[in-house]
């Protein structure tokens, strides 16, 4: 069994600490991560993993965060009564996202990563073209052109030099939860700029990102980590009680529809770690330490069960990847 795996991480806002718990178990089992794909919180954690941060440092970093600082004011927020409403109307987000942007930029820079050039990894054995051979790919949604952007892969489609682009900028775009954080503007040569929001809106769990496209068997497995317990078919997961819950339910439906097609495939289920996040809201930036610890512990438990818990043969998840088509 190969100790090398590709890693795909689902988005989930503050629930991302559950990803760290699962990653810690994979690392303890001697696994190394060749490439990482993710959206939103998955892009945040994935960027740090791709930059070389170990699981213990990830845990220390994520649990030391004051998540309330992510709710940073826009310039309009200081206006009494109408500030938040004007921010949403004029800036298209209640919060600026500047604190997070600076935080992730500093973390990545401390690991020696500033641009995607720092994460390029030539891989002649891959079915990926040379311009997609990076250790990290993050998902973001281009609402100006109605498309999913996989960065840095899709910069080339807009004549943008991928190696010169900031990793922190791409991650900031991927975590732009609609209505909560201001979107990010991508300047495109010889065309109008694009407005980018949370990649999870179009693909929150891009589990097939690294599957082979040339018909050859995969060199190593892909493991996905999903921030929800495995769902029962036809289960209602969005309870609608008013306009806001309706809007969030619609957003959640958009986020899950594309990915659910993959999750209905038994071979995908067998390479996915399902972390029970016990109803924690992705935007609960006031999350307390006991809840953070429970998310982390649930991530560990889910990964331990995945690797060899009751009813799971050790290595079964590896054998199911033989059906993969890329890698």
């Amino acid at each position: 069994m190969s100790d090398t795996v590709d890693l795909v991480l689902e988005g989930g806002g503050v629930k991302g600490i559950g990803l760290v718990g699962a990653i810690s178990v994979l690392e303890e089992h001697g696994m190394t991560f060749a490439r990482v794909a993710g959206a939103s919180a998955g892009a945040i954690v994935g960027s740090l993993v791709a930059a070389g941060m170990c699981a213990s440092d990830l845990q220390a970093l994520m649990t030391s965060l004051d998540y309330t600082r992510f709710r940073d004011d826009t310039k309009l927020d200081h206006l009494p009564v109408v500030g938040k409403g004007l921010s949403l109307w004029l800036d298209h987000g209640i919060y600026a996202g500047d604190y997070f942007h600076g935080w992730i930029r500093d973390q990545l820079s401390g690991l020696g990563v500033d641009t995607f050039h720092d994460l390029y990894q030539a891989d002649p054995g891959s079915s990926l073209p040379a311009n997609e051979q990076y250790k990290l790919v993050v998902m973001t949604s281009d609402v100006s052109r109605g498309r999913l952007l996989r960065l840095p892969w899709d910069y080339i489609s807009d004549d943008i030099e991928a190696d010169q682009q900031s990793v922190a900028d791409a991650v900031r775009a991927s975590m732009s939860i609609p209505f909560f954080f201001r979107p990010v503007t991508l300047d495109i040569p010889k065309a109008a700029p694009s407005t980018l929001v949370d990649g999870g809106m179009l693909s929150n769990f891009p589990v097939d990102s690294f599957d082979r496209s040339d018909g050859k068997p995969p060199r190593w497995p892909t493991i996905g980590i999903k921030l929800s317990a495995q769902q029962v078919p036809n289960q209602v997961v969005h309870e609608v009680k008013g306009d806001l819950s309706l809007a969030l339910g619609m957003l959640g439906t958009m986020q899950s529809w594309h990915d659910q097609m993959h999750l209905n495939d038994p071979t995908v289920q067998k390479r996915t770690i399902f972390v029970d996040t016990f109803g924690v809201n992705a935007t609960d930036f006031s999350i307390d330490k006991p809840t953070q610890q429970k998310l982390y512990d649930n991530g560990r438990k889910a990964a331990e069960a995945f690797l060899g818990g009751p009813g799971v043969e050790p290595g079964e998840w590896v054998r199911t990847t033989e059906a993969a088509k890329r890698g």
Side-chain angles (χ1 to χ4, degrees):
M1 181 175 67
S2 172
D3 291 330
T4 300
V5 299
D6 288 326
L7 198 59
V8 176
L9 307 176
E10 186 184 33
V14 300
K15 297 184 289 186
I17 189 65
L19 300 172
V20 179
I23 290 168
S24 69
V25 171
L26 300 181
E27 191 177 278
E28 288 165 12
H29 279 73
M31 296 183 192
T32 57
F33 310 116
R35 299 168 295 198
V36 190
S40 195
I44 298 169
V45 174
S47 68
L48 297 169
V49 171
M53 183 173 285
C54 67
S56 59
D57 288 344
L58 262 176
Q59 181 193 11
L61 177 65
M62 300 300 282
T63 56
S64 66
L65 268 176
D66 178 1
Y67 289 89
T68 62
R69 299 191 68 182
F70 285 3
R71 297 184 298 198
D72 52 347
D73 291 342
T74 68
K75 293 179 180 178
L76 297 171
D77 281 338
H78 299 292
L79 296 176
V81 183
V82 297
K84 292 294 185 188
L86 286 175
S87 292
L88 184 59
W89 183 28
L90 298 176
D91 289 332
H92 310 297
I94 297 172
Y95 305 116
D98 294 337
Y99 174 79
F100 168 79
H101 194 187
W103 175 83
I104 193 65
R105 182 177 58 241
D106 290 347
Q107 299 305 318
L108 290 170
S109 184
L111 295 165
V113 172
D114 294 303
T115 67
F116 277 102
H117 171 78
D118 300 316
L119 293 177
Y120 187 78
Q121 181 174 261
D123 186 5
S126 172
S127 66
L128 295 172
N131 61 288
E132 293 183 6
Q133 293 175 9
Y134 291 87
K135 295 173 69 176
L136 174 70
V137 56
V138 303
M139 307 296 144
T140 188
S141 302
D142 179 352
V143 296
S144 297
R145 291 171 171 79
R147 57 181 178 167
L148 175 70
L149 283 183
R150 305 160 303 165
L151 303 179
W153 293 356
D154 292 333
Y155 281 125
I156 193 172
S157 65
D158 291 317
D159 296 321
I160 297 173
E161 179 56 52
D163 276 4
Q164 297 177 9
Q165 303 309 304
S166 163
V167 179
D169 287 357
V171 176
R172 167 65 181 85
S174 186
M175 59 77 69
S176 300
I177 302 172
F179 313 125
F180 282 88
F181 293 108
R182 286 185 313 199
V184 168
T185 299
L186 177 66
D187 292 322
I188 299 175
K190 301 179 182 179
S194 279
T195 297
L196 309 183
V197 301
D198 189 345
M201 193 172 80
L202 294 179
S203 184
N204 206 31
F205 186 53
V207 69
D208 60 344
S209 295
F210 302 120
D211 289 350
R212 293 195 76 94
S213 60
D214 57 5
K216 294 181 180 180
R219 296 168 296 168
W220 51 72
T222 291
I223 295 178
I225 308 176
K226 192 163 177 23
L227 290 171
S228 62
Q230 193 162 359
Q231 293 180 10
V232 177
N234 301 317
Q235 180 181 14
V236 175
V237 295
H238 303 295
E239 187 175 358
V240 176
K241 293 184 176 180
D243 290 344
L244 180 57
S245 62
L246 175 61
L248 293 175
M250 292 167 64
L251 178 61
T253 299
M254 287 188 291
Q255 288 179 322
S256 62
W257 181 82
H258 176 271
D259 300 320
Q260 191 59 44
M261 292 190 296
H262 296 298
L263 289 170
N264 289 335
D265 183 343
T267 62
V268 171
Q269 294 174 12
K270 289 181 179 179
R271 59 172 171 164
T272 300
I273 300 171
F274 292 89
V275 180
D276 185 357
T277 54
F278 51 92
V280 173
N281 192 315
T283 56
D284 181 9
F285 297 106
S286 59
I287 185 172
D288 58 28
K289 295 300 181 183
T291 303
Q292 291 179 41
Q293 186 63 47
K294 187 174 180 181
L295 286 168
Y296 177 83
D297 292 342
N298 277 16
R300 286 192 58 87
K301 291 174 184 176
E304 288 164 353
F306 172 80
L307 292 175
V312 179
E313 294 182 30
E316 179 184 354
W317 57 275
V318 175
R319 291 192 292 275
T320 65
T321 62
E322 294 175 359
K325 296 180 181 178
R326 289 178 76 183

